[in-house]
Amino acid sequence: MNKRGALTTIAAAAVVATGLGTPLWAAAAAPTEIKIGAPISMSGLLAADGLEQKWSYEQAVADVNAAGGIFIKAANKKLPVRLVFADDQSDPSKVTDAMERLIKVEKVDLILSTHGGDLNMAGALAAEKYKKFYMITTMWPHDWGPKKFKWSALFFYDAAGGAEVPFKIWESLPPDQRPKKPALVVEDSPDGQGFGGVFKSLAKKYNVQFVLDEPWAMGAKDYSAYILKMKARGADAVLLFGSPGDSITMVRQMKEQNFSVPYLHGWKGTWPYEFREALGDASDYVLADGFWSPEYPYPGAKELGERYTKQFNKSSTSIGMFYANAQVMLKAIETSGSLEPKAVRDAVAGHEFKGTVQGDVKFDAAGLALITSTANQWWQGKHRLVYPTQAGGWTLKLAPPWNQRK
Amino acid sequence: MNPLHGKLGLKIAIGVVLAFALVPFIPDAHEHYLFFYLFLVFVNIIVAQGWNVVAGYTGQISLAQHAFFGIGGYTTALLAIHFFEDGGSYFNPLLLAASGVVAALFAIVIGFPLLSKLAGDYFALGTLGLGEIVRVVLIKGGRATGGSAGISMSPEPFETLMPHYWVGLLLAAACTLVVFLMSRSRLGLALMAVREDSIAAAASGVPVLRMKVGAFAASAFMTGLAGSLYAFYVFAVSPGGFLNLSWTLYPILMCVMGGSGTVLGPVLGAFVMTAVFSAGNVYLPGVHPIVSGALIILVMLFMPSGILRMREGRRRRAKTGQQVEKGSQASGVAPSR
Amino acid sequence: MSELGLIAELLVNGVLFGAMYGVAAIGLSLIFGTMGIIFLAQGAMIVLGGYAAYWAFRLLDVDPYVMLFLLLPVSLLVGSAMYQLLFRRAAAMQDKNTSLLIAVGLSFMLESAMSLVWTPDPRSITTSYTSSSVHFLGMNWSITRTAGFFVAIASALSVTQFLRRTMIGKAVRATSEDMTSAALVGIAPHRVNMIAFAIGIALAGIAGCTLAATYTIDPYFGFLLSLKALIALALGGLGHVGGALAGGVLLGLIESGSSYVFPGWGDAFGYAAFLLVLMFRPQGLFVRTVTKA
C-alpha cells in the first residue's frame, strides 16, 4: 500500500474509532453511576489553575464516594460519582470542543465549570445550546447576569466586592498609616479590564485619587517605565492585577530600582506559590487575592488545606472554592434525587447550601450566589488571612523600605 | 494522469457532496459527535481553501488568516447585537456575506501597500505582524469590540447543529468549486504564473499586483465566511478564541498536507487532520498539542508536497538534489551526507 | 527625580532590555542568512535554554552565567543534530513553506512538552545578585540586565569575527549568497549550513541563560520572543549580524518609550514599526550596502 493509501486508512480508522466510542443509539436503562463532566485547562496558559481545579473536584468526589455516594430515586439506591474531564487548552474555542465531547461522547448531563471569564462564557453558552446544567465558578457576575442563562448557576464574588477589599482594608488602618497616593496597574485581559473599571469607580466613592492608573501589557518583560513613574509621583500603595510571571517581574524590578511601597496588593499573579519561590523573602508583605483561605473557620476548610499542602508542599487560596463548587453540585443532586439537568439546577437556584468549605452559600432565584473574596498576606512562605478578618487572626503588616528589611 | 480530472472527477465530486447532504437525514445523526466533527471539517476546508488560493496557487504565503477569521467573526457578532437585537440574525445570509466582504475589504486596503512592497518571506513576515496588530486593536477596542473578553451573542435560536452542517457543507462545496473553476481558467493560469515567476508573468502582460491583491482578498473573503460560521456556533467572539494562531497554522497544515495548489488537497487534508486532532483530544487529553506539533514536523519532513502531489514532489526533490550533487562533483569535493 | 533623569533611565532600560531581543535576533539572522529559513522556533529554543539554566541552578546550584559556558558545547551539538534531522532536506529543496512549517511545528511541540514536563508555572532564578542594582551616574543599573547587555555585545562580536576571519565563517557567508555556486567552488553546503544552524542554537542557549537570570520564564513565552526577535531582525536588516543586535536595542527603546507615553500599546508600536520597516526599508535600518531582495 503506498503512503497515500496508508495515511488515508489511518485517518479513516481514527474517525471510526472516535465514532465507535459513541453509540449512535443510546440504550435507556437504570443509571449505575453519577457521571459528571468538567472541562478543565489541562494545557495552555491557564493550566496551573486548571490542575488545581481538577484536584479539588477530584477531592470532593472522592469524599462523597467515601461516604457511600448519593441517593438517586431512579435507581433506588446510593450511586457512586464519576468525574470525566476534557482539556479545554485554556482556549475559549476549545471549551466548546470540550463541551461537545463531554455531552456527545461521554453523554454527561451535569457539568462543573472551567476557570476564567471568557472560557466560562463559552461553556455557559454551550450548556444553553444543549440544555445541560453547568455549575460555574470564576466568572464575573456582571458578565453572566445580563445573559439570563437558564441552564447554568454561578457562585463567585463580583468585581465590586473584590475590588472593594483594599479600600476596606485601608479604612481599617489608622489615618496616619492609610495610603494616600495609590497606583493602579491592571493588565489588558478580560479579568483585568473588568476589574480595572471597578477600581476606578470605587476610588471615587472612597475619595481616593490614583497617582498612576495604567494598563499593563501582558507578557512585556520590562516595567521600568511604570516603576519610574510611580517613583516620580511618590506612590505609597500599589494595586497590581496581572499574571504570575508579570507580577514576579514587577516586584523584582521594583527591588532593582529600590522602589518599595508600604502596601502592595496583587490579584491573579501574587497568590501562586511560584511567586514566593521566585522572590524568596522579597515576597513578604505582599498581599494576594484569594477565593478562599485554609484559615477559614468553615467545616473541612483547614483539613482540605492540609491535604493539599501535604501533597504539593505549598498552600493554596483557591482550592476551597473549587471544592465548594463541586459540593454545591453534589448536594443539589442529593436534594433533587435526580440526574436531570433541569431538576438539579432548580435545586440550586433559590436555595442555600450550608456548611460548605466556603461557608454558607446562598443562591438567588436567578442562580447567582455571591461570596467574599479574601486578601492574604505573604509571610515567610505562608498565606496569612487579612480579609475578611478573623478574630485572633493575622494583622496586616505594612512594608518598610527595602534596605530596612531583614 | 490524475483520474480526478475531467468529467468523471466532477461526477464523483457531486456524488460525494450529495452523500454528505444526506447524512443529516439519518435519525438522531445531529446528536452524534461525528456530526460535529464534520461541521469542523467544513469550517477547516473553507479556511484551508482560502489559504490555498493565495498561497497554493498564487505563491503568496500569508500568515494572517486568523486575522481575517477574527474579522469575519467579529463582523457577525457586532452586526448581530447592534442591528438584529430582536432576532433574525441567526444564519442570516446578509451577515454571512457581510463578514466575508468586510474581511475582503480589509485585505484589499492592507494588501495593496503590503504586496506592492513585499514579496516572499518578507510578505509572510508582514502578514504575521498584521495579525498581531489586529489582535492588539481588538483587545484595546474597549466597548466597541468588547476588549479582551470579546462579544457574546444570544444562543436562543440554537436548536440543533443541523443549520451549521448545511451551511458548512454548502460553503465548503462552493469554495472548492470556485477553486476548481479558477484552476481551469485563464485567471488561474495567471495566478500560477505569478507564483512561478512574477517577473516573467509581468513581462507576459499579467497585472501582477492586481492578481496578488485579488487572491489575497478572495482568501480573506472565504476565511471571513468561515469566521462568521464559527461565530454562529460558539455564539461568542473573543481575541483569544478567534485570533488564535492555530486558525492560521492548522489550515496551512491541512492544505500543505493534502497538497497545496490542488483542488482537493485542502479537502483531504481537512478530513485527515481534523480526525487526527479530534482523536488526539479524546484519547490523549493534555498531550494533544505535542502530538500536533510532532505531526506537523513529520508531515513536512516526509510529505512536504502533500499527499496528492507526492509523485511530483519526489521528482522535484530529486532534481534539486542532483544539482547540489553535480556542483560538488565538479569541484571534486565529496558531498556531505 | 528630574524629567531628564527619568528619560535617561528609560533610555538605559530600553537599551539593556533590547539587548535581550538582540541576542535572539542574531541567531535568527545567521540561520536566515544561510538557509533562508525563518526559524520561528528560536524563541522556544531560548526558553529551553532558560529552563536548562533554571534546573542547573535549582538542582546543582550552578550560577546561570557559568551555565552559559557549560551550555555552549551542548547547544552546538543539539543544533547540529537538529539541522541533520529536521532542516537538511528542506534546505536542499529551498522550499520556504516546508522549513517554516517545520519550525512552527517544533515550536508547538517544545512549548507543549515543556509545559507537560515542567508545568506551566513561571520560573525564575534568585541568586544573591538577581534583584540588586548598581548605582552609577545617578541611575540604578540592574546587575542582571547589564550583564545581559555585555553578553549580547560579546556574542555579536564573536559571531562577526567568526564570519569575517575564519575559513568556515567565510564559507558560511558564501553559502548564504548562493548555495549552488558555493557548492561549485568546493564548499560543502550542508556542512556549512549545519555549522550556522548550530551557532544559531548556541546563541539561543546563551540568550536563555541570561533571560532566566533576569526575568521569569514559562513554556509559552517562546513564541512571543520569536516574534520580537523577528521584528528586531527586520529593523536591523535580515542577514546582518551587527544589525540584528542594533535592531534589538532599537526595539527595546521603542517599546520602553511608547509604554511610557502610551501604556499598554508598546507591543502595537513594535509591530507597526515592523511593518513600516519591512515596507519602506526592507534591507533594514542599519545596512548601507544594497543586498539581494
Side-chain angles (χ1 to χ4, degrees), chain A residues 44 221-222 229 252 256 278, chain C residues 124-126 133 145 216 220 260:
Chain A
K221 292 288 181 182
D222 189 65
K229 275 193 202 170
R252 221 173 178 186
E256 278 172 11
Chain C
S124 54
I125 297 181
T126 316
S133 52
R145 281 196 268 178
T216 59
Y220 296 101
Y260 186 79

Side-chain angles (χ1 to χ4, degrees), chain B residues 12-311:
Chain B
I12 296 181
I14 295 181
V16 167
V17 173
L18 277 179
F20 277 115
L22 291 175
V23 168
F25 293 107
I26 304 174
D28 280 340
H30 61 89
E31 302 269 306
H32 199 276
Y33 185 69
L34 277 185
F35 201 72
F36 168 68
Y37 157 78
L38 286 174
F39 167 67
L40 269 188
V41 170
F42 298 146
V43 175
N44 283 327
I45 290 180
I46 302 172
V47 186
Q49 288 288 21
W51 195 78
N52 196 16
V53 167
V54 72
Y57 281 96
T58 320
Q60 309 302 306
I61 298 179
S62 158
L63 296 176
Q65 304 307 95
H66 59 298
F68 299 122
F69 189 76
I71 291 176
Y74 266 87
T75 307
T76 300
L78 283 169
L79 289 177
I81 61 173
H82 283 130
F83 294 110
F84 290 89
E85 261 158 22
D86 302 328
S89 71
Y90 195 49
F91 279 113
N92 188 321
L94 274 180
L95 286 189
L96 280 169
S99 306
V101 168
V102 170
L105 283 176
F106 193 74
I108 295 179
V109 168
I110 298 290
F112 263 114
L114 218 61
L115 283 162
S116 62
K117 296 241 175 232
L118 303 176
D121 291 325
Y122 292 77
F123 174 67
L125 290 185
T127 57
L128 206 57
L130 175 69
E132 290 305 298
I133 292 184
V134 171
R135 185 213 303 276
V136 172
V137 168
L138 285 174
I139 289 180
K140 288 285 193 183
R143 207 81 59 76
T145 64
S148 345
I151 306 173
S152 53
M153 313 190 289
S154 161
E156 275 306 300
F158 180 88
E159 274 168 47
T160 68
L161 272 182
M162 295 258 238
H164 299 84
Y165 184 93
W166 291 121
V167 178
L169 175 61
L170 184 68
L171 289 179
C175 286
T176 309
L177 183 65
V178 163
V179 174
F180 174 71
L181 292 173
M182 179 210 74
S183 67
R184 282 170 156 22
S185 69
R186 285 187 53 158
L187 179 65
L189 210 54
L191 291 178
M192 288 189 265
V194 169
R195 173 186 73 200
E196 294 300 325
D197 192 336
S198 56
I199 302 180
S204 313
V206 175
V208 172
L209 183 59
R210 256 189 289 155
M211 288 285 135
K212 286 184 180 177
V213 177
F216 196 43
S219 101
F221 181 79
M222 288 190 214
T223 315
L225 281 180
S228 173
L229 184 55
Y230 200 69
F232 280 124
Y233 166 68
V234 189
F235 290 102
V237 293
S238 60
F242 277 69
L243 267 97
N244 198 324
L245 216 64
S246 344
W247 285 113
T248 288
L249 296 173
Y250 287 176
I252 293 183
L253 178 65
M254 293 174 196
C255 185
V256 174
M257 197 208 121
S260 77
T262 67
V263 176
L264 289 177
V267 176
L268 185 59
F271 270 101
V272 173
M273 296 267 80
T274 313
V276 172
F277 289 152
S278 297
N281 244 338
V282 173
Y283 296 113
L284 301 166
V287 186
H288 159 259
I290 302 183
V291 174
S292 325
L295 207 64
I296 296 180
I297 296 179
L298 288 174
V299 167
M300 289 293 99
L301 279 181
F302 299 111
M303 286 190 298
S305 306
I307 299 181
L308 292 185
R309 281 168 61 184
M310 262 182 359
R311 243 178 278 139

Side-chain angles (χ1 to χ4, degrees), chain A residues 22 24 91 100 129 147 188, chain B residues 32 140 148 152 233 244:
Chain A
T22 79
L24 260 182
D91 181 345
E100 290 277 343
K129 273 167 30 182
K147 293 278 164 187
D188 261 336
Chain B
H32 199 276
K140 288 285 193 183
S148 345
S152 53
Y233 166 68
N244 198 324

Side-chain angles (χ1 to χ4, degrees), chain A residues 4 24 53 71 78 80 84-85 91 98 108 138 189 207-209 219 227 235 254 304 331 353 377 397:
Chain A
R4 183 207 308 202
L24 260 182
Q53 195 172 21
F71 184 84
K78 277 189 169 190
V84 186
F85 295 107
D91 181 345
V108 293
T138 60
S189 67
N207 222 350
V208 167
Q209 186 84 323
I227 297 172
M254 280 172 66
L304 184 67
K331 211 134 185 75
F353 291 81
Q377 184 169 41
K397 286 193 191 326

Side-chain angles (χ1 to χ4, degrees), chain A residues 219-248:
Chain A
K221 292 288 181 182
D222 189 65
Y223 304 126
S224 13
Y226 297 99
I227 297 172
L228 289 172
K229 275 193 202 170
M230 289 194 270
K231 237 184 180 175
R233 299 179 195 180
D236 56 4
V238 177
L239 301 182
L240 197 65
F241 192 108
S243 69
D246 295 343
S247 304
I248 293 172

